[in-house]
Amino acid sequence: MLSRLMSGSSRNLEREYSCTVRLLDDSEYTCTIQRDAKGQYLFDLLCHHLNLLEKDYFGIRFVDPDKQRHWLEFTKSVVKQLRSQPPFTMCFRVKFYPADPAALREEITRYLVFLQIKRDLYHGRLLCKTSDAALLAAYILQAEIGDYDPGKHPEGYSSKFQFFPKHSEKLERKIAEIHKTELSGQTPATSELNFLRKAQTLETYGVDPHPCKDVSGNAAFLAFTPFGFVVLQGNKRVHFIKWNEVTKLKFEGKTFYLYVSQKEEKKIVLTYFAPTPEACKHLWKCGIENQAFYKLEKSSQVRTVSSSNLFFKGSRFRYSGRVAKEVMESSAKIKREPPEIHRAGMVPSRSCPSITHGPRLSSVPRTRRRAVHISIMEGLESLRDSAHSTPVRSTSHSDTFLPHVRSGRADSSERVAVIADEAYSPADSVLPTPVAEHSLELMLLSRQINGAPCSIEEEKESEASTPTTAEVEALGGELKALCPGHNGPEAEQVNKFVLSVLRLLLVTVGLLFVLLLLLIILTESDLDIAFFRDIRQTPEFEQFHYQYFYPLRRWFACKIRSVMSLLIDT
């Protein structure tokens, strides 16, 4: 009896798994889930812990063993999705950025969105011109340390905070000046609200970039925003497609297709190549979910979407949540006392050190760096590298809010917009995945040759060693020798054509085989139809029936009888 109880308890323990979710303020929430627990159960536990009701804007992100990022699907088992060894580590992040974050009903929701956009600002995903950057950083200072106090805040106090991957002394002085003179008296909630109002006017607000290549082999970043689909290339926004113009999203292997129907019945297809098939599928899923969330009027209009072509089933996916309009209507009905908010304050941050005391990054590019260890359990969000010096110039919509943003973006959907002085290149949290261990040093070496900074710790260690131009050229030659170039879109198109022909041949042979079997079954049946009667009377059919079909049927019957008798005897 005791052994049975012990075995039962051990089985229960085996079915329970420990999960750790890293929150937006870098605190951690740990819980235990059953083996068959769905993603919705874990998400509800997390939202209950945060006292969050407007939860549809958020999601849980994780990295699989192949280093590919995913959003946790709420209708599927958590354990089956992660495919890694417990304990499981995930991140709580904003999944759908509110079109107007200042219009969110509850302060707790606005605070969480504020933390997410602050992370975007640090990691280089949110671009802005210098004046906007100083104002946004000043809002963060005001929200986290309050009014300027000469006794607590000595000269140069703003340099102890890292708001961007890299910034100058001039910008630090501007941040401190705005904080001292313009924001005095603002509460944390007011500063966060003003921060959100300013951030949502920027071109790259809500951008979660996916690195890809276009048909010419040029690097690009694809993203889905509350207003539509955008493509960022170099320092320009080369495409902006409103959601009502997107007719279809599709992927095949590493190739992503976006079908667009614009005014005057103009139809175009945008084609991009993801680093891996898994990354392309993730991009496709994100597009399906964002289109459903922002475009549809009701969740009942959501349909299952397939990436299949004519002959193959392909991947099928269906968005399972509510749409933006339903979320806003539900938020308007919230009537409760505002929950208490425990702001992070001066707690050290691991992945977004805007409130971490540390040295200012040098503006001099370095070319020799040591390799950085990437921890999968920390997630790609923990990487701090940046390939540009932010803040940079952005064509924001001045200080106006949502109505003007919508009209401005609609008018500019067909023209190229300059979004920055430098190329858009966010932090390594959005590197193409998976990142092979042996290729990490090559990736860092390419960044070093281009003069891109690495992490804060590496910046300090590399102060004393700067290679000569000859060394840089030698390193560049080695890199080119080790990294063969991309095969190009022509090779991709040829491979796709060959695969399509092979698939067509296989499908044709399979259909002919099935039809032949069906014809044999029908002719050997007792159906008294003139067509089959004529076939049965032919000499060829009689020869096939007596020499092949009848002996084969008798052999199968004998085998079945022998198996049945063997089962009866045992």
Side-chain angles (χ1 to χ4, degrees):
M1 185 67 178
L2 182 61
S3 62
R4 289 182 180 178
L5 289 174
M6 292 180 64
S7 62
S9 61
S10 63
R11 285 196 297 269
N12 289 333
L13 288 175
E14 289 176 359
R15 291 198 297 266
E16 292 184 349
Y17 297 89
S18 175
C19 291
T20 299
V21 182
R22 185 160 301 122
L23 307 180
L24 285 162
D25 61 357
D26 286 314
S27 62
E28 292 182 347
Y29 173 75
T30 303
C31 64
T32 302
I33 61 171
Q34 299 293 325
R35 181 182 181 84
D36 57 349
K38 299 290 194 295
Q40 186 67 55
Y41 173 76
L42 176 61
F43 185 67
D44 289 340
L45 280 180
L46 193 57
C47 292
H48 178 74
H49 169 74
L50 295 170
N51 205 357
L52 178 66
L53 293 183
E54 297 174 287
K55 56 187 179 181
D56 299 81
Y57 298 106
F58 302 88
I60 299 176
R61 173 171 271 166
F62 66 94
V63 181
D64 67 15
D66 297 324
K67 304 182 183 179
Q68 171 61 48
R69 297 194 305 169
H70 300 273
W71 288 106
L72 189 70
E73 295 185 38
F74 295 160
T75 58
K76 296 182 179 180
S77 166
V78 175
V79 176
K80 290 182 179 179
Q81 289 184 71
L82 267 64
R83 298 188 294 113
S84 59
Q85 295 297 321
F88 303 125
T89 302
M90 293 160 276
C91 295
F92 179 78
R93 297 290 182 261
V94 172
K95 185 176 183 180
F96 303 110
Y97 286 76
D100 184 7
L104 293 170
R105 179 77 172 181
E106 294 199 305
E107 184 182 342
I108 179 65
T109 316
R110 292 194 294 271
Y111 174 64
L112 293 174
V113 175
F114 161 78
L115 292 178
Q116 175 67 66
I117 300 177
K118 188 177 70 170
R119 300 176 70 91
D120 295 344
L121 192 66
Y122 173 76
H123 285 290
R125 295 188 288 265
L126 180 67
L127 295 187
C128 54
K129 58 186 180 181
T130 304
S131 59
D132 293 336
L135 181 58
L136 290 173
Y139 282 137
I140 296 174
L141 267 184
Q142 181 67 24
E144 295 186 350
I145 69 174
D147 293 343
Y148 171 72
D149 185 348
K152 296 180 181 178
H153 307 137
E155 186 69 23
Y157 69 100
S158 62
S159 65
K160 299 182 182 295
F161 301 87
Q162 192 66 41
F163 304 103
F164 317 102
K166 204 167 66 171
H167 51 84
S168 62
E169 294 182 7
K170 181 179 178 181
L171 179 60
E172 291 170 358
R173 290 194 297 269
K174 182 66 174 176
I175 294 170
E177 179 184 349
I178 296 175
H179 178 233
K180 293 176 185 177
T181 59
E182 299 181 20
L183 307 183
S184 180
Q186 288 190 11
T187 63
T190 303
S191 297
E192 291 160 7
L193 182 61
N194 291 331
F195 176 91
L196 295 176
R197 284 174 172 166
K198 186 61 183 176
Q200 66 99 18
T201 64
L202 303 176
E203 287 286 351
T204 50
Y205 165 73
V207 165
D208 184 15
H210 299 257
C212 293
K213 288 186 177 181
D214 62 12
V215 292
S216 300
N218 300 318
F221 288 96
L222 278 58
F224 309 100
T225 73
F227 313 102
F229 170 79
V230 297
V231 179
L232 307 174
Q233 203 164 34
N235 66 336
K236 296 180 176 65
R237 186 197 65 194
V238 296
H239 289 292
F240 169 67
I241 311 297
K242 294 179 289 186
W243 283 122
N244 58 5
E245 296 176 345
V246 177
T247 58
K248 185 179 180 182
L249 299 169
K250 179 182 173 183
F251 83 98
E252 291 180 3
K254 296 192 294 183
T255 310
F256 176 76
Y257 303 96
L258 184 125
Y259 295 78
V260 182
S261 179
Q262 294 181 328
K263 54 186 176 181
E264 300 177 357
E265 298 184 355
K266 179 182 177 183
K267 297 183 179 180
I268 59 175
V269 180
L270 301 179
T271 304
Y272 290 91
F273 303 100
T276 64
E278 293 76 16
C280 194
K281 185 175 182 179
H282 174 61
L283 170 64
W284 175 71
K285 282 186 174 183
C286 290
I288 296 299
E289 291 186 313
N290 278 269
Q291 185 181 26
F293 184 80
Y294 294 114
K295 181 179 179 180
L296 300 181
E297 297 288 326
K298 298 178 181 179
S299 56
S300 59
Q301 298 174 337
V302 176
R303 297 290 180 266
T304 300
V305 182
S306 175
S307 66
S308 64
N309 52 27
L310 183 62
F311 299 105
F312 289 86
K313 182 178 179 181
S315 297
R316 295 171 62 84
F317 182 69
R318 186 178 189 274
Y319 172 60
S320 59
R322 295 189 295 181
V323 300
K325 188 173 182 180
E326 292 176 333
V327 174
M328 294 177 66
E329 292 173 353
S330 176
S331 298
K333 299 176 183 178
I334 295 178
K335 295 180 180 179
R336 66 168 179 174
E337 289 295 323
E340 184 180 358
I341 299 176
H342 302 282
R343 288 179 167 82
M346 297 297 292
V347 176
S349 172
R350 284 171 296 184
S351 58
C352 184
S354 64
I355 52 175
T356 302
H357 293 261
R360 179 175 63 255
L361 292 180
S362 171
S363 60
V364 179
R366 302 295 177 183
T367 54
R368 187 184 296 274
R369 313 283 188 223
R370 62 177 176 83
V372 180
H373 172 69
I374 298 180
S375 172
I376 301 307
M377 301 307 293
E378 287 290 325
L380 295 181
E381 285 284 341
S382 64
L383 296 178
R384 303 180 182 178
D385 296 358
S386 173
H388 65 81
S389 174
T390 55
V392 293
R393 190 171 302 279
S394 168
T395 55
S396 64
H397 300 279
S398 185
D399 292 330
T400 53
F401 300 144
L402 184 62
H404 185 70
V405 171
R406 289 183 179 275
S407 62
R409 299 184 186 207
D411 294 340
S412 62
S413 60
E414 294 185 358
R415 63 175 187 265
V416 174
V418 178
I419 62 168
D421 294 332
E422 301 181 26
Y424 182 79
S425 183
D428 287 345
S429 58
V430 292
L431 277 174
T433 50
V435 180
E437 296 292 340
H438 66 276
S439 65
L440 179 60
E441 294 187 8
L442 298 179
M443 177 267 295
L444 290 173
L445 182 58
S446 66
R447 290 165 52 84
Q448 297 158 11
I449 293 171
N450 293 324
C454 287
S455 64
I456 299 173
E457 291 78 12
E458 292 178 310
E459 187 75 23
K460 293 187 293 184
E461 293 181 6
S462 63
E463 292 279 340
S465 58
T466 302
T468 63
T469 305
E471 289 176 333
V472 173
E473 292 177 353
L475 290 173
E478 293 176 7
L479 178 65
K480 291 179 180 178
L482 289 171
C483 299
H486 183 62
N487 291 332
E490 294 82 3
E492 291 276 356
Q493 295 294 336
V494 170
N495 293 335
K496 285 170 52 181
F497 175 75
V498 172
L499 288 174
S500 299
V501 172
L502 291 176
R503 289 174 181 173
L504 182 60
L505 288 174
L506 288 174
V507 170
T508 304
V509 172
L511 287 175
L512 290 175
F513 182 73
V514 171
L515 289 175
L516 179 62
L517 288 179
L518 182 62
L519 181 63
I520 293 173
I521 292 172
L522 291 175
T523 51
E524 291 291 343
S525 66
D526 297 330
L527 290 176
D528 191 15
I529 300 175
F531 174 73
F532 294 130
R533 196 164 52 243
D534 294 339
I535 294 177
R536 294 187 189 108
Q537 293 174 358
T538 59
E540 293 82 2
F541 179 81
E542 291 181 356
Q543 182 181 7
F544 170 79
H545 177 78
Y546 290 109
Q547 292 187 6
Y548 298 100
F549 180 77
Y550 186 72
L552 183 64
R553 186 177 64 178
R554 186 172 56 185
W555 182 80
F556 270 113
C558 291
K559 291 295 181 182
I560 292 173
R561 282 196 298 270
S562 62
V563 170
M564 292 297 294
S565 62
L566 182 63
L567 290 175
I568 293 173
D569 293 341
T570 54

